[in-house]
Amino acid sequence: MAKKPLFDIVISTAGRFDLLAKCLDAIYANATQPITITLVDDATKREEKLRNKHLFEYQKDKDVNGNIVEFVTMRNEVQAGFGASYNRGAKSSRAPYLTIMNDDVIINPDYFDKVLEVMKDDTIGVLGARLLFPLNSTQGNRPAGKIQHLGLAMDVRGNVTHPLIGWSAENPKTQISREVFAVTGALFTTRSKLFHTVRGFDPIYGLGYYEDVSYCLNIRQLGFRIYMDANVGGTHYTNATSEKNSNAFGGQLQQNAMTFRAKWANSGLLGYDTWTYG
């Protein structure tokens, strides 16, 4: 009898196949629970995809635990962006947990076991991870081994920010698990039923930015908590697709910030909370 998956993982790629290979290798090696993988190709260049076609096929030799229940690929012929790609990939998700993952994220070996442990708390609707910049980074905007994500917060001006970004991963303040305003869509796990209830990511945000924050607020409105557990982790290369394609998100950051504020201004869910990380 085929294993029933506990996790449906959806990954979208827009052409950073070098990082996608690392992302998939980490999943293959660390799939300690039965999972499905859905890989959404967001209109990548066909010649590049052809050179990396092995990434779009199940690699049995790498599935060391035999826990990949199903491997599915999809392609957008026209670039759809973050939200639409994940909505498409998650449409048939039926496992209890749905993991949204960028192709530039490498999960820690104990990711799935840690998530299962934390999600025993049925008040949690979305679980984010403590993400670090890569250890081999030589770029100033990605300080090697430092904090990239500990949850998202809102500053006194109403901007969504990454508290403690760039801080040492050994600093005690970066090792606190907590309820948070929102978490990044680069890597989070949510309950599949909740994702379907709110119809996934809001298409109003177009190619990208703020749909992850908006999703978190939708789940909070249902009465669930958004949580960042410091023991659930990974590495995030951040903006890797944008570096490859400067038009990857169509310059939508400021436009989507205004859209987000207008959508949630009267919800009672916005508020200055970066001070809680101090």
Side-chain angles (χ1 to χ4, degrees), residues 93-117:
S93 172
R94 293 296 179 268
Y97 304 110
L98 170 65
T99 297
I100 300 295
M101 187 184 303
N102 282 8
D103 62 358
D104 61 355
V105 167
I106 292 85
I107 57 170
N108 287 351
D110 56 1
Y111 179 82
F112 297 106
D113 292 338
K114 294 289 187 183
V115 168
L116 278 182
E117 184 65 27

mmCIF file with all atom_site columns, all heavy atoms in Angstrom, residues 93-117:
data_model
loop_
_atom_site.group_PDB
_atom_site.id
_atom_site.type_symbol
_atom_site.label_atom_id
_atom_site.label_alt_id
_atom_site.label_comp_id
_atom_site.label_asym_id
_atom_site.label_entity_id
_atom_site.label_seq_id
_atom_site.pdbx_PDB_ins_code
_atom_site.Cartn_x
_atom_site.Cartn_y
_atom_site.Cartn_z
_atom_site.occupancy
_atom_site.B_iso_or_equiv
_atom_site.pdbx_formal_charge
_atom_site.auth_seq_id
_atom_site.auth_comp_id
_atom_site.auth_asym_id
_atom_site.auth_atom_id
_atom_site.pdbx_PDB_model_num
ATOM 1   N N   . SER A 1 93  ? -3.584 19.810 -3.208 1.00 0.00 ? 93  SER A N   1
ATOM 2   C CA  . SER A 1 93  ? -2.964 19.400 -1.948 1.00 0.00 ? 93  SER A CA  1
ATOM 3   C C   . SER A 1 93  ? -4.003 18.759 -1.027 1.00 0.00 ? 93  SER A C   1
ATOM 4   O O   . SER A 1 93  ? -5.041 19.351 -0.742 1.00 0.00 ? 93  SER A O   1
ATOM 5   C CB  . SER A 1 93  ? -2.336 20.604 -1.253 1.00 0.00 ? 93  SER A CB  1
ATOM 6   O OG  . SER A 1 93  ? -1.886 20.272 0.035  1.00 0.00 ? 93  SER A OG  1
ATOM 7   N N   . ARG A 1 94  ? -3.691 17.561 -0.548 1.00 0.00 ? 94  ARG A N   1
ATOM 8   C CA  . ARG A 1 94  ? -4.608 16.850 0.341  1.00 0.00 ? 94  ARG A CA  1
ATOM 9   C C   . ARG A 1 94  ? -3.915 16.340 1.605  1.00 0.00 ? 94  ARG A C   1
ATOM 10  O O   . ARG A 1 94  ? -4.579 15.809 2.504  1.00 0.00 ? 94  ARG A O   1
ATOM 11  C CB  . ARG A 1 94  ? -5.244 15.667 -0.402 1.00 0.00 ? 94  ARG A CB  1
ATOM 12  C CG  . ARG A 1 94  ? -6.184 16.084 -1.535 1.00 0.00 ? 94  ARG A CG  1
ATOM 13  C CD  . ARG A 1 94  ? -7.381 16.848 -1.020 1.00 0.00 ? 94  ARG A CD  1
ATOM 14  N NE  . ARG A 1 94  ? -8.257 17.273 -2.105 1.00 0.00 ? 94  ARG A NE  1
ATOM 15  C CZ  . ARG A 1 94  ? -8.182 18.445 -2.725 1.00 0.00 ? 94  ARG A CZ  1
ATOM 16  N NH1 . ARG A 1 94  ? -7.244 19.314 -2.349 1.00 0.00 ? 94  ARG A NH1 1
ATOM 17  N NH2 . ARG A 1 94  ? -8.996 18.767 -3.701 1.00 0.00 ? 94  ARG A NH2 1
ATOM 18  N N   . ALA A 1 95  ? -2.603 16.446 1.679  1.00 0.00 ? 95  ALA A N   1
ATOM 19  C CA  . ALA A 1 95  ? -1.893 16.054 2.893  1.00 0.00 ? 95  ALA A CA  1
ATOM 20  C C   . ALA A 1 95  ? -2.265 17.028 4.008  1.00 0.00 ? 95  ALA A C   1
ATOM 21  O O   . ALA A 1 95  ? -2.709 18.150 3.748  1.00 0.00 ? 95  ALA A O   1
ATOM 22  C CB  . ALA A 1 95  ? -0.385 16.081 2.649  1.00 0.00 ? 95  ALA A CB  1
ATOM 23  N N   . PRO A 1 96  ? -2.107 16.646 5.262  1.00 0.00 ? 96  PRO A N   1
ATOM 24  C CA  . PRO A 1 96  ? -2.456 17.569 6.353  1.00 0.00 ? 96  PRO A CA  1
ATOM 25  C C   . PRO A 1 96  ? -1.704 18.885 6.309  1.00 0.00 ? 96  PRO A C   1
ATOM 26  O O   . PRO A 1 96  ? -2.250 19.930 6.654  1.00 0.00 ? 96  PRO A O   1
ATOM 27  C CB  . PRO A 1 96  ? -2.093 16.767 7.614  1.00 0.00 ? 96  PRO A CB  1
ATOM 28  C CG  . PRO A 1 96  ? -2.115 15.345 7.196  1.00 0.00 ? 96  PRO A CG  1
ATOM 29  C CD  . PRO A 1 96  ? -1.671 15.331 5.766  1.00 0.00 ? 96  PRO A CD  1
ATOM 30  N N   . TYR A 1 97  ? -0.435 18.828 5.835  1.00 0.00 ? 97  TYR A N   1
ATOM 31  C CA  . TYR A 1 97  ? 0.406  20.019 5.868  1.00 0.00 ? 97  TYR A CA  1
ATOM 32  C C   . TYR A 1 97  ? 0.896  20.368 4.465  1.00 0.00 ? 97  TYR A C   1
ATOM 33  O O   . TYR A 1 97  ? 1.265  19.480 3.684  1.00 0.00 ? 97  TYR A O   1
ATOM 34  C CB  . TYR A 1 97  ? 1.601  19.804 6.801  1.00 0.00 ? 97  TYR A CB  1
ATOM 35  C CG  . TYR A 1 97  ? 1.184  19.422 8.190  1.00 0.00 ? 97  TYR A CG  1
ATOM 36  C CD1 . TYR A 1 97  ? 1.416  18.133 8.679  1.00 0.00 ? 97  TYR A CD1 1
ATOM 37  C CD2 . TYR A 1 97  ? 0.524  20.320 9.018  1.00 0.00 ? 97  TYR A CD2 1
ATOM 38  C CE1 . TYR A 1 97  ? 1.004  17.758 9.941  1.00 0.00 ? 97  TYR A CE1 1
ATOM 39  C CE2 . TYR A 1 97  ? 0.108  19.953 10.290 1.00 0.00 ? 97  TYR A CE2 1
ATOM 40  C CZ  . TYR A 1 97  ? 0.346  18.675 10.745 1.00 0.00 ? 97  TYR A CZ  1
ATOM 41  O OH  . TYR A 1 97  ? -0.064 18.318 11.993 1.00 0.00 ? 97  TYR A OH  1
ATOM 42  N N   . LEU A 1 98  ? 0.893  21.644 4.195  1.00 0.00 ? 98  LEU A N   1
ATOM 43  C CA  . LEU A 1 98  ? 1.361  22.173 2.914  1.00 0.00 ? 98  LEU A CA  1
ATOM 44  C C   . LEU A 1 98  ? 2.580  23.051 3.180  1.00 0.00 ? 98  LEU A C   1
ATOM 45  O O   . LEU A 1 98  ? 2.512  24.002 3.960  1.00 0.00 ? 98  LEU A O   1
ATOM 46  C CB  . LEU A 1 98  ? 0.253  22.997 2.251  1.00 0.00 ? 98  LEU A CB  1
ATOM 47  C CG  . LEU A 1 98  ? 0.643  23.823 1.021  1.00 0.00 ? 98  LEU A CG  1
ATOM 48  C CD1 . LEU A 1 98  ? 1.051  22.903 -0.128 1.00 0.00 ? 98  LEU A CD1 1
ATOM 49  C CD2 . LEU A 1 98  ? -0.511 24.738 0.607  1.00 0.00 ? 98  LEU A CD2 1
ATOM 50  N N   . THR A 1 99  ? 3.685  22.728 2.531  1.00 0.00 ? 99  THR A N   1
ATOM 51  C CA  . THR A 1 99  ? 4.902  23.518 2.664  1.00 0.00 ? 99  THR A CA  1
ATOM 52  C C   . THR A 1 99  ? 5.160  24.294 1.385  1.00 0.00 ? 99  THR A C   1
ATOM 53  O O   . THR A 1 99  ? 5.245  23.711 0.299  1.00 0.00 ? 99  THR A O   1
ATOM 54  C CB  . THR A 1 99  ? 6.119  22.619 2.977  1.00 0.00 ? 99  THR A CB  1
ATOM 55  O OG1 . THR A 1 99  ? 5.920  21.983 4.239  1.00 0.00 ? 99  THR A OG1 1
ATOM 56  C CG2 . THR A 1 99  ? 7.398  23.438 3.045  1.00 0.00 ? 99  THR A CG2 1
ATOM 57  N N   . ILE A 1 100 ? 5.242  25.603 1.524  1.00 0.00 ? 100 ILE A N   1
ATOM 58  C CA  . ILE A 1 100 ? 5.570  26.507 0.428  1.00 0.00 ? 100 ILE A CA  1
ATOM 59  C C   . ILE A 1 100 ? 7.065  26.789 0.514  1.00 0.00 ? 100 ILE A C   1
ATOM 60  O O   . ILE A 1 100 ? 7.573  27.192 1.565  1.00 0.00 ? 100 ILE A O   1
ATOM 61  C CB  . ILE A 1 100 ? 4.776  27.822 0.532  1.00 0.00 ? 100 ILE A CB  1
ATOM 62  C CG1 . ILE A 1 100 ? 3.266  27.535 0.472  1.00 0.00 ? 100 ILE A CG1 1
ATOM 63  C CG2 . ILE A 1 100 ? 5.205  28.816 -0.529 1.00 0.00 ? 100 ILE A CG2 1
ATOM 64  C CD1 . ILE A 1 100 ? 2.784  26.966 -0.830 1.00 0.00 ? 100 ILE A CD1 1
ATOM 65  N N   . MET A 1 101 ? 7.788  26.593 -0.585 1.00 0.00 ? 101 MET A N   1
ATOM 66  C CA  . MET A 1 101 ? 9.235  26.708 -0.537 1.00 0.00 ? 101 MET A CA  1
ATOM 67  C C   . MET A 1 101 ? 9.789  27.326 -1.819 1.00 0.00 ? 101 MET A C   1
ATOM 68  O O   . MET A 1 101 ? 9.468  26.882 -2.917 1.00 0.00 ? 101 MET A O   1
ATOM 69  C CB  . MET A 1 101 ? 9.850  25.319 -0.330 1.00 0.00 ? 101 MET A CB  1
ATOM 70  C CG  . MET A 1 101 ? 11.336 25.297 -0.107 1.00 0.00 ? 101 MET A CG  1
ATOM 71  S SD  . MET A 1 101 ? 11.989 23.598 0.025  1.00 0.00 ? 101 MET A SD  1
ATOM 72  C CE  . MET A 1 101 ? 11.029 22.940 1.387  1.00 0.00 ? 101 MET A CE  1
ATOM 73  N N   . ASN A 1 102 ? 10.603 28.356 -1.665 1.00 0.00 ? 102 ASN A N   1
ATOM 74  C CA  . ASN A 1 102 ? 11.303 28.919 -2.812 1.00 0.00 ? 102 ASN A CA  1
ATOM 75  C C   . ASN A 1 102 ? 12.421 27.990 -3.257 1.00 0.00 ? 102 ASN A C   1
ATOM 76  O O   . ASN A 1 102 ? 12.954 27.212 -2.462 1.00 0.00 ? 102 ASN A O   1
ATOM 77  C CB  . ASN A 1 102 ? 11.911 30.285 -2.460 1.00 0.00 ? 102 ASN A CB  1
ATOM 78  C CG  . ASN A 1 102 ? 10.881 31.393 -2.465 1.00 0.00 ? 102 ASN A CG  1
ATOM 79  O OD1 . ASN A 1 102 ? 9.690  31.154 -2.582 1.00 0.00 ? 102 ASN A OD1 1
ATOM 80  N ND2 . ASN A 1 102 ? 11.346 32.614 -2.310 1.00 0.00 ? 102 ASN A ND2 1
ATOM 81  N N   . ASP A 1 103 ? 12.821 28.125 -4.518 1.00 0.00 ? 103 ASP A N   1
ATOM 82  C CA  . ASP A 1 103 ? 13.887 27.257 -5.022 1.00 0.00 ? 103 ASP A CA  1
ATOM 83  C C   . ASP A 1 103 ? 15.275 27.664 -4.529 1.00 0.00 ? 103 ASP A C   1
ATOM 84  O O   . ASP A 1 103 ? 16.261 26.972 -4.800 1.00 0.00 ? 103 ASP A O   1
ATOM 85  C CB  . ASP A 1 103 ? 13.869 27.214 -6.555 1.00 0.00 ? 103 ASP A CB  1
ATOM 86  C CG  . ASP A 1 103 ? 14.108 28.572 -7.215 1.00 0.00 ? 103 ASP A CG  1
ATOM 87  O OD1 . ASP A 1 103 ? 14.250 29.582 -6.497 1.00 0.00 ? 103 ASP A OD1 1
ATOM 88  O OD2 . ASP A 1 103 ? 14.146 28.631 -8.463 1.00 0.00 ? 103 ASP A OD2 1
ATOM 89  N N   . ASP A 1 104 ? 15.360 28.779 -3.782 1.00 0.00 ? 104 ASP A N   1
ATOM 90  C CA  . ASP A 1 104 ? 16.662 29.199 -3.248 1.00 0.00 ? 104 ASP A CA  1
ATOM 91  C C   . ASP A 1 104 ? 16.753 28.966 -1.737 1.00 0.00 ? 104 ASP A C   1
ATOM 92  O O   . ASP A 1 104 ? 17.519 29.617 -1.043 1.00 0.00 ? 104 ASP A O   1
ATOM 93  C CB  . ASP A 1 104 ? 16.953 30.656 -3.581 1.00 0.00 ? 104 ASP A CB  1
ATOM 94  C CG  . ASP A 1 104 ? 15.934 31.634 -3.005 1.00 0.00 ? 104 ASP A CG  1
ATOM 95  O OD1 . ASP A 1 104 ? 14.931 31.182 -2.416 1.00 0.00 ? 104 ASP A OD1 1
ATOM 96  O OD2 . ASP A 1 104 ? 16.128 32.856 -3.154 1.00 0.00 ? 104 ASP A OD2 1
ATOM 97  N N   . VAL A 1 105 ? 15.954 28.014 -1.242 1.00 0.00 ? 105 VAL A N   1
ATOM 98  C CA  . VAL A 1 105 ? 15.958 27.652 0.184  1.00 0.00 ? 105 VAL A CA  1
ATOM 99  C C   . VAL A 1 105 ? 16.444 26.218 0.337  1.00 0.00 ? 105 VAL A C   1
ATOM 100 O O   . VAL A 1 105 ? 16.021 25.324 -0.408 1.00 0.00 ? 105 VAL A O   1
ATOM 101 C CB  . VAL A 1 105 ? 14.559 27.798 0.801  1.00 0.00 ? 105 VAL A CB  1
ATOM 102 C CG1 . VAL A 1 105 ? 14.482 27.132 2.163  1.00 0.00 ? 105 VAL A CG1 1
ATOM 103 C CG2 . VAL A 1 105 ? 14.174 29.265 0.908  1.00 0.00 ? 105 VAL A CG2 1
ATOM 104 N N   . ILE A 1 106 ? 17.326 26.003 1.301  1.00 0.00 ? 106 ILE A N   1
ATOM 105 C CA  . ILE A 1 106 ? 17.818 24.664 1.623  1.00 0.00 ? 106 ILE A CA  1
ATOM 106 C C   . ILE A 1 106 ? 17.413 24.366 3.062  1.00 0.00 ? 106 ILE A C   1
ATOM 107 O O   . ILE A 1 106 ? 17.856 25.049 3.991  1.00 0.00 ? 106 ILE A O   1
ATOM 108 C CB  . ILE A 1 106 ? 19.349 24.552 1.456  1.00 0.00 ? 106 ILE A CB  1
ATOM 109 C CG1 . ILE A 1 106 ? 19.742 24.665 -0.016 1.00 0.00 ? 106 ILE A CG1 1
ATOM 110 C CG2 . ILE A 1 106 ? 19.850 23.230 2.013  1.00 0.00 ? 106 ILE A CG2 1
ATOM 111 C CD1 . ILE A 1 106 ? 19.906 26.056 -0.515 1.00 0.00 ? 106 ILE A CD1 1
ATOM 112 N N   . ILE A 1 107 ? 16.543 23.385 3.247  1.00 0.00 ? 107 ILE A N   1
ATOM 113 C CA  . ILE A 1 107 ? 16.038 23.073 4.584  1.00 0.00 ? 107 ILE A CA  1
ATOM 114 C C   . ILE A 1 107 ? 17.102 22.359 5.424  1.00 0.00 ? 107 ILE A C   1
ATOM 115 O O   . ILE A 1 107 ? 17.970 21.661 4.890  1.00 0.00 ? 107 ILE A O   1
ATOM 116 C CB  . ILE A 1 107 ? 14.765 22.199 4.530  1.00 0.00 ? 107 ILE A CB  1
ATOM 117 C CG1 . ILE A 1 107 ? 15.019 20.900 3.762  1.00 0.00 ? 107 ILE A CG1 1
ATOM 118 C CG2 . ILE A 1 107 ? 13.602 22.986 3.969  1.00 0.00 ? 107 ILE A CG2 1
ATOM 119 C CD1 . ILE A 1 107 ? 13.891 19.895 3.875  1.00 0.00 ? 107 ILE A CD1 1
ATOM 120 N N   . ASN A 1 108 ? 17.001 22.526 6.738  1.00 0.00 ? 108 ASN A N   1
ATOM 121 C CA  . ASN A 1 108 ? 17.853 21.786 7.659  1.00 0.00 ? 108 ASN A CA  1
ATOM 122 C C   . ASN A 1 108 ? 17.429 20.314 7.699  1.00 0.00 ? 108 ASN A C   1
ATOM 123 O O   . ASN A 1 108 ? 16.272 19.987 7.393  1.00 0.00 ? 108 ASN A O   1
ATOM 124 C CB  . ASN A 1 108 ? 17.771 22.388 9.057  1.00 0.00 ? 108 ASN A CB  1
ATOM 125 C CG  . ASN A 1 108 ? 18.504 23.707 9.171  1.00 0.00 ? 108 ASN A CG  1
ATOM 126 O OD1 . ASN A 1 108 ? 19.226 24.119 8.256  1.00 0.00 ? 108 ASN A OD1 1
ATOM 127 N ND2 . ASN A 1 108 ? 18.331 24.386 10.296 1.00 0.00 ? 108 ASN A ND2 1
ATOM 128 N N   . PRO A 1 109 ? 18.346 19.418 8.094  1.00 0.00 ? 109 PRO A N   1
ATOM 129 C CA  . PRO A 1 109 ? 18.045 17.985 8.071  1.00 0.00 ? 109 PRO A CA  1
ATOM 130 C C   . PRO A 1 109 ? 16.811 17.577 8.868  1.00 0.00 ? 109 PRO A C   1
ATOM 131 O O   . PRO A 1 109 ? 16.118 16.630 8.495  1.00 0.00 ? 109 PRO A O   1
ATOM 132 C CB  . PRO A 1 109 ? 19.308 17.352 8.661  1.00 0.00 ? 109 PRO A CB  1
ATOM 133 C CG  . PRO A 1 109 ? 20.398 18.305 8.299  1.00 0.00 ? 109 PRO A CG  1
ATOM 134 C CD  . PRO A 1 109 ? 19.771 19.671 8.410  1.00 0.00 ? 109 PRO A CD  1
ATOM 135 N N   . ASP A 1 110 ? 16.512 18.280 9.954  1.00 0.00 ? 110 ASP A N   1
ATOM 136 C CA  . ASP A 1 110 ? 15.396 17.873 10.812 1.00 0.00 ? 110 ASP A CA  1
ATOM 137 C C   . ASP A 1 110 ? 14.126 18.678 10.553 1.00 0.00 ? 110 ASP A C   1
ATOM 138 O O   . ASP A 1 110 ? 13.215 18.692 11.388 1.00 0.00 ? 110 ASP A O   1
ATOM 139 C CB  . ASP A 1 110 ? 15.791 17.999 12.277 1.00 0.00 ? 110 ASP A CB  1
ATOM 140 C CG  . ASP A 1 110 ? 16.268 19.416 12.646 1.00 0.00 ? 110 ASP A CG  1
ATOM 141 O OD1 . ASP A 1 110 ? 16.269 20.304 11.764 1.00 0.00 ? 110 ASP A OD1 1
ATOM 142 O OD2 . ASP A 1 110 ? 16.650 19.617 13.812 1.00 0.00 ? 110 ASP A OD2 1
ATOM 143 N N   . TYR A 1 111 ? 14.038 19.333 9.401  1.00 0.00 ? 111 TYR A N   1
ATOM 144 C CA  . TYR A 1 111 ? 12.923 20.243 9.140  1.00 0.00 ? 111 TYR A CA  1
ATOM 145 C C   . TYR A 1 111 ? 11.565 19.567 9.356  1.00 0.00 ? 111 TYR A C   1
ATOM 146 O O   . TYR A 1 111 ? 10.714 20.069 10.106 1.00 0.00 ? 111 TYR A O   1
ATOM 147 C CB  . TYR A 1 111 ? 12.997 20.818 7.720  1.00 0.00 ? 111 TYR A CB  1
ATOM 148 C CG  . TYR A 1 111 ? 11.846 21.757 7.408  1.00 0.00 ? 111 TYR A CG  1
ATOM 149 C CD1 . TYR A 1 111 ? 11.887 23.087 7.808  1.00 0.00 ? 111 TYR A CD1 1
ATOM 150 C CD2 . TYR A 1 111 ? 10.701 21.304 6.760  1.00 0.00 ? 111 TYR A CD2 1
ATOM 151 C CE1 . TYR A 1 111 ? 10.821 23.946 7.565  1.00 0.00 ? 111 TYR A CE1 1
ATOM 152 C CE2 . TYR A 1 111 ? 9.632  22.157 6.508  1.00 0.00 ? 111 TYR A CE2 1
ATOM 153 C CZ  . TYR A 1 111 ? 9.696  23.470 6.914  1.00 0.00 ? 111 TYR A CZ  1
ATOM 154 O OH  . TYR A 1 111 ? 8.638  24.311 6.682  1.00 0.00 ? 111 TYR A OH  1
ATOM 155 N N   . PHE A 1 112 ? 11.322 18.455 8.700  1.00 0.00 ? 112 PHE A N   1
ATOM 156 C CA  . PHE A 1 112 ? 9.982  17.850 8.727  1.00 0.00 ? 112 PHE A CA  1
ATOM 157 C C   . PHE A 1 112 ? 9.623  17.327 10.116 1.00 0.00 ? 112 PHE A C   1
ATOM 158 O O   . PHE A 1 112 ? 8.480  17.463 10.567 1.00 0.00 ? 112 PHE A O   1
ATOM 159 C CB  . PHE A 1 112 ? 9.882  16.744 7.673  1.00 0.00 ? 112 PHE A CB  1
ATOM 160 C CG  . PHE A 1 112 ? 10.046 17.254 6.271  1.00 0.00 ? 112 PHE A CG  1
ATOM 161 C CD1 . PHE A 1 112 ? 11.214 17.010 5.569  1.00 0.00 ? 112 PHE A CD1 1
ATOM 162 C CD2 . PHE A 1 112 ? 9.053  18.000 5.672  1.00 0.00 ? 112 PHE A CD2 1
ATOM 163 C CE1 . PHE A 1 112 ? 11.381 17.493 4.278  1.00 0.00 ? 112 PHE A CE1 1
ATOM 164 C CE2 . PHE A 1 112 ? 9.209  18.495 4.384  1.00 0.00 ? 112 PHE A CE2 1
ATOM 165 C CZ  . PHE A 1 112 ? 10.381 18.237 3.685  1.00 0.00 ? 112 PHE A CZ  1
ATOM 166 N N   . ASP A 1 113 ? 10.583 16.723 10.802 1.00 0.00 ? 113 ASP A N   1
ATOM 167 C CA  . ASP A 1 113 ? 10.311 16.238 12.158 1.00 0.00 ? 113 ASP A CA  1
ATOM 168 C C   . ASP A 1 113 ? 9.984  17.389 13.098 1.00 0.00 ? 113 ASP A C   1
ATOM 169 O O   . ASP A 1 113 ? 9.070  17.294 13.923 1.00 0.00 ? 113 ASP A O   1
ATOM 170 C CB  . ASP A 1 113 ? 11.522 15.467 12.692 1.00 0.00 ? 113 ASP A CB  1
ATOM 171 C CG  . ASP A 1 113 ? 11.749 14.155 11.961 1.00 0.00 ? 113 ASP A CG  1
ATOM 172 O OD1 . ASP A 1 113 ? 10.800 13.635 11.350 1.00 0.00 ? 113 ASP A OD1 1
ATOM 173 O OD2 . ASP A 1 113 ? 12.890 13.652 11.989 1.00 0.00 ? 113 ASP A OD2 1
ATOM 174 N N   . LYS A 1 114 ? 10.737 18.487 12.980 1.00 0.00 ? 114 LYS A N   1
ATOM 175 C CA  . LYS A 1 114 ? 10.500 19.648 13.842 1.00 0.00 ? 114 LYS A CA  1
ATOM 176 C C   . LYS A 1 114 ? 9.129  20.260 13.562 1.00 0.00 ? 114 LYS A C   1
ATOM 177 O O   . LYS A 1 114 ? 8.403  20.651 14.485 1.00 0.00 ? 114 LYS A O   1
ATOM 178 C CB  . LYS A 1 114 ? 11.593 20.691 13.630 1.00 0.00 ? 114 LYS A CB  1
ATOM 179 C CG  . LYS A 1 114 ? 12.983 20.270 14.078 1.00 0.00 ? 114 LYS A CG  1
ATOM 180 C CD  . LYS A 1 114 ? 13.098 20.204 15.581 1.00 0.00 ? 114 LYS A CD  1
ATOM 181 C CE  . LYS A 1 114 ? 14.530 19.959 16.011 1.00 0.00 ? 114 LYS A CE  1
ATOM 182 N NZ  . LYS A 1 114 ? 14.661 19.820 17.486 1.00 0.00 ? 114 LYS A NZ  1
ATOM 183 N N   . VAL A 1 115 ? 8.768  20.362 12.288 1.00 0.00 ? 115 VAL A N   1
ATOM 184 C CA  . VAL A 1 115 ? 7.472  20.938 11.932 1.00 0.00 ? 115 VAL A CA  1
ATOM 185 C C   . VAL A 1 115 ? 6.335  20.101 12.518 1.00 0.00 ? 115 VAL A C   1
ATOM 186 O O   . VAL A 1 115 ? 5.378  20.642 13.089 1.00 0.00 ? 115 VAL A O   1
ATOM 187 C CB  . VAL A 1 115 ? 7.324  21.063 10.404 1.00 0.00 ? 115 VAL A CB  1
ATOM 188 C CG1 . VAL A 1 115 ? 5.880  21.392 10.022 1.00 0.00 ? 115 VAL A CG1 1
ATOM 189 C CG2 . VAL A 1 115 ? 8.260  22.133 9.855  1.00 0.00 ? 115 VAL A CG2 1
ATOM 190 N N   . LEU A 1 116 ? 6.425  18.785 12.384 1.00 0.00 ? 116 LEU A N   1
ATOM 191 C CA  . LEU A 1 116 ? 5.379  17.923 12.925 1.00 0.00 ? 116 LEU A CA  1
ATOM 192 C C   . LEU A 1 116 ? 5.220  18.121 14.428 1.00 0.00 ? 116 LEU A C   1
ATOM 193 O O   . LEU A 1 116 ? 4.103  18.138 14.954 1.00 0.00 ? 116 LEU A O   1
ATOM 194 C CB  . LEU A 1 116 ? 5.702  16.460 12.632 1.00 0.00 ? 116 LEU A CB  1
ATOM 195 C CG  . LEU A 1 116 ? 5.343  15.932 11.248 1.00 0.00 ? 116 LEU A CG  1
ATOM 196 C CD1 . LEU A 1 116 ? 5.697  14.455 11.152 1.00 0.00 ? 116 LEU A CD1 1
ATOM 197 C CD2 . LEU A 1 116 ? 3.863  16.123 10.940 1.00 0.00 ? 116 LEU A CD2 1
ATOM 198 N N   . GLU A 1 117 ? 6.341  18.285 15.115 1.00 0.00 ? 117 GLU A N   1
ATOM 199 C CA  . GLU A 1 117 ? 6.289  18.468 16.555 1.00 0.00 ? 117 GLU A CA  1
ATOM 200 C C   . GLU A 1 117 ? 5.589  19.771 16.925 1.00 0.00 ? 117 GLU A C   1
ATOM 201 O O   . GLU A 1 117 ? 4.708  19.804 17.798 1.00 0.00 ? 117 GLU A O   1
ATOM 202 C CB  . GLU A 1 117 ? 7.707  18.448 17.131 1.00 0.00 ? 117 GLU A CB  1
ATOM 203 C CG  . GLU A 1 117 ? 7.784  18.534 18.645 1.00 0.00 ? 117 GLU A CG  1
ATOM 204 C CD  . GLU A 1 117 ? 7.176  17.344 19.361 1.00 0.00 ? 117 GLU A CD  1
ATOM 205 O OE1 . GLU A 1 117 ? 7.148  16.237 18.775 1.00 0.00 ? 117 GLU A OE1 1
ATOM 206 O OE2 . GLU A 1 117 ? 6.721  17.514 20.515 1.00 0.00 ? 117 GLU A OE2 1
#
